[in-house]
């Protein structure tokens, strides 16, 4: 175990996978000579050279497609999006090319590729740079969607994503890069599609992922002080969703809150709620509540921005409501 | 026109055989497409179906220059490309019919023909979106250090989309062994090239990316082959991309749902182009050389007709995919 930042955990995962498999290469804007816009790729150019750490022009659609093409004939591209906001220019390649290839070729051509980069809001970056896109990609059959919350999961899941045979959308938390945590050494691979109970509890289940995990844990601590024992489930993978872990928890707690950074309409939580009402209707003692980002483009103003974002107090309030406290 | 095309002297036996094989492939594609049109009208083929009639020399001339370990990627007007690359008439027709025996097991359809073993990587329906894929395949070839290349077919209207420009820039910047084939058939659906492109000589777009480019007569298969040979040499020996604008014409409507002429072009125009038919151009040249005649031509017509009939019979008799196929091939099978 070493204490690493989330950023360095991702860096270690990339380094280990590139050392392990020479089909793996990293491509994106500023990944090589600049050492990464967010320094996730720091040192990789020096270690692996320009053939495997490739700086691109600002052409998201083009280099996403080049990654897909390379994956179609057996390479293992990791395509860095400087942020997921810019990946909208490449969404055609992610959705129409990567996600469809295996199916429309009748199983002949797979696309083992990872699209990764920071998602979600940072601080006061305004409407175009503050967006959580998990639900966009989770909507698409053929894609896997991962959004880790801790350094250990960042390493383990990135390694799993790179080894996966299918296209993976890997959304990092821009505000999580400096988060420190214990990270297992060596070949730590976390299975895709498995949620993690970050805090066990019996009174209410709080389901979250990525940037809402820390505030959910904080809310759980505050609830504990009020005599409420909350369970916090970190989805880690959005698609495929770990339905078993969710249902097993709700069967014990009978109450549930779903927190996510994204917008409410057709969000990740909407899918979670749909699953629970269908599969565990009788277990519920209260309607499920969702805590989401405000249903607006992100404002620049600091006070308005804070109001738009999910925080521990909002999650705590929702948990008390489903407990009728 | 090139010296070869004008020559009336008979070439050597190997060349004669090559010409016969080009002719056969073009005639097969022609007959296949006519038959596909009929089958579409009978409801045996569904969805969008874009025929290649008139453009046969492009597919045949391009493929003739390739090796089996090269890759080919195309758009939705790709039946002819698939056949010229060596997919069987049966596999392609069965795919159009949506059958389990089709080249994509009935899950792709007319626009998504794949054969990984033949290096035929689709069949793509979003205009221009497969252009970067071709550069990615070429990137992989270069990464691994072989001398394979990737050919990408697209229409002239696709040359106006961003993906084209982003890809040509990176392909040239990184010296990728890719050959970009603009099949300029004059129209994107009903929009003439002059109404869509500020500069109608599309080959000059290579200049913007320092990429060698040529305009090529696409009705003469030999001219196409010669231009391809230059591009292939550049790709293999220098790992450099090429842009070929191959001028051609589609005799039929954009897809099965529109007429050959009427709103955006005249019957006279279509007739004018039909007078330089790629099959006739080659057959006449062979006749002038004394190694082709009407008897042999008629025999070949009969031969390709039989092959296409057999493909239709096969497709008709083939089963639909098993209902369980609905949920397979979305992700890799477990444990891989
Ligand atoms: C991005 C996109 N926009 C629009 C369409 C609809 N569409 C299909 S084919 C076509 C015309 C393309 O013409 P061209 O590239 O010249 O190829 P051709 O059909 O002539 O072979 C259009 C507009 C599409 N499939 N994809
Ligand atoms: Mg066209």
């Amino acid at each position: 175990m070493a204490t690493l930042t989330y950023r360095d955990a991702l860096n270690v995962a990339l380094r280990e996978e590139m050392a392990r498999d020479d089909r793996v290469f990293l491509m994106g804007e500023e990944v090589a000579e600049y050492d990464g816009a967010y320094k996730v790729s720091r040192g990789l150019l020096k270690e692996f050279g320009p053939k495997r750490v490739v700086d691109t022009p600002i052409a998201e659609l083009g280099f996403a497609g080049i990654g897909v093409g390379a994956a179609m004939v057996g390479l293992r591209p990791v395509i860095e999006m400087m942020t997921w906001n810019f990946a909208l220019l490449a969404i055609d390649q992610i959705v129409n090319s990567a996600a469809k290839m295996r199916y429309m070729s009748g199983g002949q051509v797979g696309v083992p590729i990872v699209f990764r980069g920071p998602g979600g809001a940072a601080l006061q970056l305004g409407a175009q740079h503050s967006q959580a896109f998990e639900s966009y990609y989770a909507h698409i059959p053929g894609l896997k969607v991962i959004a880790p919350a801790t350094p250990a999961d960042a390493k383990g899941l990135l390694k799993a994503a790179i080894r996966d045979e299918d296209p993976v959308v890997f959304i990092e938390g821009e505000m999580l890069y400096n988060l420190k945590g214990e990270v297992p050494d060596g070949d730590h691979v976390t299975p895709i599609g498995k949620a993690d109970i970050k805090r066990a509890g019996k009174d209410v289940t709080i389901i979250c992922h990525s940037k809402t995990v820390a505030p959910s844990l904080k809310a759980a601590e505050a609830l504990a002080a009020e005599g409420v024992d909350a369970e916090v489930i970190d989805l880690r993978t959005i698609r495929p969703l770990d339905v078993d872990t969710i249902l097993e928890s709700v069967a014990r707690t009978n109450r549930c809150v779903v927190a996510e950074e994204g917008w409410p309409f057709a969000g990740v939580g909407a899918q979670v709620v749909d699953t629970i009402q269908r599969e565990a209707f009788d277990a519920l003692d209260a309607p499920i509540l969702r805590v989401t980002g405000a249903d607006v483009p992100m404002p620049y103003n600091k006070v308005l921005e804070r109001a738009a974002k999910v925080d521990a107090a909002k999650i705590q309030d929702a948990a008390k409501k489903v407990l009728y406290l | 026109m090139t010296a070869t095309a004008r020559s009336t002297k008979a070439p050597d036996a190997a060349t004669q055989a090559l010409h016969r094989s080009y002719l056969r492939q073009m005639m097969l594609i022609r007959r296949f497409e006519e038959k596909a049109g009929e089958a579409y009208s009978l409801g045996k083929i569904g969805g969008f179906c874009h025929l290649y009639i008139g453009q046969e020399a492009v597919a045949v001339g391009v493929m003739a220059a390739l090796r089996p370990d090269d890759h080919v990627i195309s758009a939705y007007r790709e039946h002819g490309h698939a056949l010229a690359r060596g997919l069987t008439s049966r596999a392609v027709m069965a795919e159009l019919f949506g059958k389990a025996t089709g080249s994509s097991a009935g899950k792709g359809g007319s626009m998504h023909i794949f054969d990984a073993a033949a290096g035929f990587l689709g069949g793509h329906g979003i205009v221009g979106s497969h252009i970067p894929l071709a550069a990615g395949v070429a990137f992989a070839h270069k990464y691994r250090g072989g001398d394979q290349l990737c050919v990408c077919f697209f229409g002239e209207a696709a040359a106006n989309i961003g993906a084209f420009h982003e890809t040509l820039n990176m392909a040239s910047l990184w010296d990728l062994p890719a050959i970009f084939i603009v099949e300029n058939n004059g129209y994107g659906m009903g929009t003439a090239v002059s109404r869509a492109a500020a500069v109608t000589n599309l080959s000059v777009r290579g200049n913007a990316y320092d990429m060698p480019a040529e305009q090529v007569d696409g009705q003469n298969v030999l001219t196409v082959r010669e231009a391809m040979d230059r591009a292939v040499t550049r790709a293999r020996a220098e790992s450099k991309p090429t842009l070929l604008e191959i001028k051609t014409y589609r005799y039929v409507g954009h897809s099965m749902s529109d007429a050959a002429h009427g709103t955006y072009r005249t019957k006279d125009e279509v007739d004018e182009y039909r007078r330089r038919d790629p099959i006739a151009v080659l057959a006449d040249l062979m006749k002038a050389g004394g190694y082709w005649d009407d008897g042999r031509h008629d025999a070949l017509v009969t031969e390709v007709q039989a092959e296409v009939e057999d493909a239709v019979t096969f497709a008709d008799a083939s089963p639909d995919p098993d209902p369980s196929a609905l949920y397979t091939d979305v992700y890799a099978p477990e444990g891989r």
Side-chain angles (χ1 to χ4, degrees):
Chain A
M1 285 280 186
T3 302
L4 291 182
T5 61
Y6 185 97
R7 167 187 293 109
D8 289 341
L10 292 166
N11 180 274
V12 168
L14 285 169
R15 175 171 282 124
E16 289 181 4
E17 292 307 298
M18 289 180 73
R20 178 180 170 272
D21 183 349
D22 60 15
R23 297 171 303 172
V24 179
F25 69 92
L26 176 67
M27 175 181 274
E29 292 158 15
E30 310 292 356
V31 296
E33 299 205 355
Y34 191 80
D35 259 351
Y38 293 87
K39 306 301 168 201
V40 170
S41 58
R42 182 163 37 208
L44 296 183
L45 173 65
K46 211 186 248 167
E47 189 164 342
F48 297 101
K51 177 182 152 191
R52 299 184 63 197
V53 185
V54 185
D55 274 330
T56 66
I58 304 169
E60 281 79 4
L61 173 68
F63 68 74
I66 286 175
V68 174
M72 287 168 75
V73 290
L75 296 188
R76 301 250 157 188
V78 178
I79 302 296
E80 177 168 314
M81 293 293 166
M82 191 180 279
T83 81
W84 277 96
N85 303 291
F86 316 138
L88 287 181
L89 285 100
I91 200 167
D92 172 50
Q93 289 301 339
I94 301 172
V95 172
N96 279 322
S97 297
K100 306 289 190 284
M101 203 72 66
R102 186 182 296 280
Y103 200 82
M104 67 186 185
S105 67
Q108 295 179 78
V109 182
V111 182
I113 192 171
V114 178
F115 300 101
R116 52 153 290 275
L123 292 171
Q124 285 198 279
L125 296 181
Q128 294 179 330
H129 284 74
S130 312
Q131 311 182 77
F133 284 116
E134 290 89 305
S135 71
Y136 269 55
Y137 298 100
H139 190 61
I140 308 297
L143 297 180
K144 296 182 179 178
V145 180
I146 297 174
T150 66
D153 289 345
K155 176 180 174 185
L157 285 164
L158 183 53
K159 286 169 72 88
I162 291 170
R163 295 182 195 186
D164 201 83
E165 296 294 334
D166 290 307
V168 176
V169 166
F170 194 93
I171 303 182
E172 298 154 13
E174 182 167 341
M175 293 296 284
L176 299 178
Y177 280 138
N178 290 328
L179 180 75
K180 285 194 173 134
E182 292 281 288
V183 178
D185 298 321
D187 208 21
H188 166 63
V189 182
T190 307
I192 295 172
K194 292 273 177 280
D196 184 40
I197 300 179
K198 289 280 193 285
R199 182 190 197 279
K202 61 180 185 354
D203 296 331
V204 57
T205 301
I206 302 173
I207 297 172
C208 50
H209 68 271
S210 186
K211 262 163 59 190
T212 53
V213 172
S216 294
L217 289 168
K218 200 170 156 200
E221 290 313 310
L223 288 163
E226 299 184 61
V228 173
D229 187 16
E231 175 147 307
V232 176
I233 295 181
D234 173 5
L235 294 175
R236 301 197 293 193
T237 300
I238 311 303
R239 185 185 185 110
L241 190 65
D242 184 355
V243 173
D244 292 347
T245 298
I246 294 170
L247 295 180
E248 188 277 324
S249 175
V250 173
R252 282 187 283 105
T253 64
N254 312 110
R255 294 161 201 276
C256 183
V257 167
V258 191
E260 69 186 293
E261 187 185 356
W263 296 295
F265 199 102
V268 171
Q271 182 64 31
V272 173
V273 170
D274 166 72
T275 304
I276 297 172
Q277 65 80 27
R278 203 161 8 86
E279 305 288 337
F281 186 75
D282 292 335
L284 289 174
D285 285 345
I288 303 163
L289 288 186
R290 294 174 60 203
V291 184
T292 69
D295 202 12
V296 297
M298 187 64 85
Y300 164 71
N301 174 275
K302 209 185 273 186
V303 177
L304 294 182
E305 184 185 50
R306 203 174 301 137
K309 286 177 164 176
V310 172
D311 60 22
K314 291 177 184 172
I315 297 168
Q316 188 185 349
D317 280 356
K320 286 167 78 169
K321 280 204 184 102
V322 301
L323 284 152
Y324 301 116
L325 291 174
Chain B
M1 228 188 269
T2 64
T4 330
R6 279 211 197 93
S7 161
T8 50
K9 220 179 89 219
D12 60 35
T15 307
Q16 292 183 18
L18 207 56
H19 292 179
R20 185 193 180 277
S21 106
Y22 296 162
L23 192 64
R24 187 188 190 284
Q25 290 182 62
M26 290 195 289
M27 288 166 65
L28 176 70
I29 295 170
R30 175 72 53 92
R31 185 64 203 136
F32 183 97
E33 293 291 66
E34 288 166 354
K35 200 72 195 173
E38 281 172 46
Y40 192 92
S41 309
L42 295 171
K44 292 184 182 292
I45 298 172
F48 291 139
C49 182
H50 312 84
L51 303 182
Y52 195 62
I53 298 174
Q55 304 184 206
E56 295 89 346
V58 184
V60 173
V62 167
M63 299 305 174
L66 301 182
R67 283 196 325 230
D69 61 343
D70 292 325
H71 285 95
V72 176
I73 191 159
S74 183
Y76 46 83
R77 195 182 300 286
E78 89 285 31
H79 312 163
H81 302 139
L83 293 170
R85 182 58 181 170
L87 277 76
T88 65
S89 301
R90 283 185 167 198
V92 179
M93 192 64 85
E95 189 57 36
L96 304 191
F97 279 46
K99 298 300 184 71
T101 52
S103 46
S104 298
K107 286 172 155 181
S110 163
M111 296 191 285
H112 306 305
I113 292 169
F114 283 78
D115 185 339
F120 195 79
L121 299 175
H124 297 268
I126 310 296
V127 168
S129 277
H130 64 298
I131 303 175
L133 304 184
V137 173
F139 179 93
H141 290 331
K142 181 164 176 162
Y143 188 95
R144 292 200 174 104
D147 69 344
Q148 294 150 277
L149 56 86
C150 186
V151 166
C152 184
F153 290 93
F154 49 94
E156 86 297 333
N160 296 320
I161 211 159
F164 167 85
H165 295 278
E166 294 188 12
T167 302
L168 261 66
N169 181 45
M170 284 183 274
S172 181
L173 185 67
W174 296 338
D175 289 334
L176 301 181
I179 301 174
F180 300 98
I181 309 282
V182 187
E183 287 195 67
N184 185 352
N185 61 9
Y187 297 89
M189 294 184 70
T191 304
V193 59
S194 60
R195 295 201 300 125
V199 176
T200 54
N201 177 340
L202 299 171
S203 70
V204 303
R205 293 184 180 190
N207 296 343
Y209 305 106
D210 194 24
M211 187 183 295
E214 285 184 52
Q215 253 184 344
V216 183
D217 171 14
Q219 301 312 90
N220 184 336
V221 66
L222 304 182
T223 316
V224 174
R225 168 76 205 255
E226 285 164 12
M228 264 304 282
D229 284 341
R230 290 188 285 276
V232 166
T233 302
R234 192 174 292 124
R236 294 209 204 286
E238 304 170 50
S239 184
K240 287 225 192 298
T242 301
L243 174 66
L244 294 182
E245 179 194 358
I246 307 191
K247 308 264 275 187
T248 182
Y249 197 81
R250 79 170 142 71
Y251 298 170
V252 291
H254 165 73
S255 71
M256 289 308 298
S257 56
D258 72 317
H261 47 78
T263 60
Y264 62 91
R265 63 183 189 183
T266 62
K267 180 168 186 310
D268 284 352
E269 182 186 301
V270 178
D271 289 343
E272 176 68 28
Y273 276 95
R274 276 182 178 272
R275 280 196 272 280
R276 260 200 92 234
D277 185 81
I279 294 172
V281 167
L282 179 61
D284 288 350
L285 179 134
M286 291 165 69
K287 282 178 192 165
Y291 54 103
W292 200 243
D293 55 42
D294 288 345
R296 278 183 272 191
H297 198 83
D298 292 347
L300 196 50
V301 168
T302 309
E303 185 182 315
V304 300
Q305 239 162 13
E307 177 173 337
V308 173
E309 288 306 325
D310 166 74
V312 169
T313 307
F314 171 80
D316 241 340
S318 290
D320 283 325
D322 189 85
S324 67
L326 178 61
Y327 288 105
T328 58
D329 305 324
V330 181
Y331 297 99
E334 288 286 327
R336 270 196 58 205

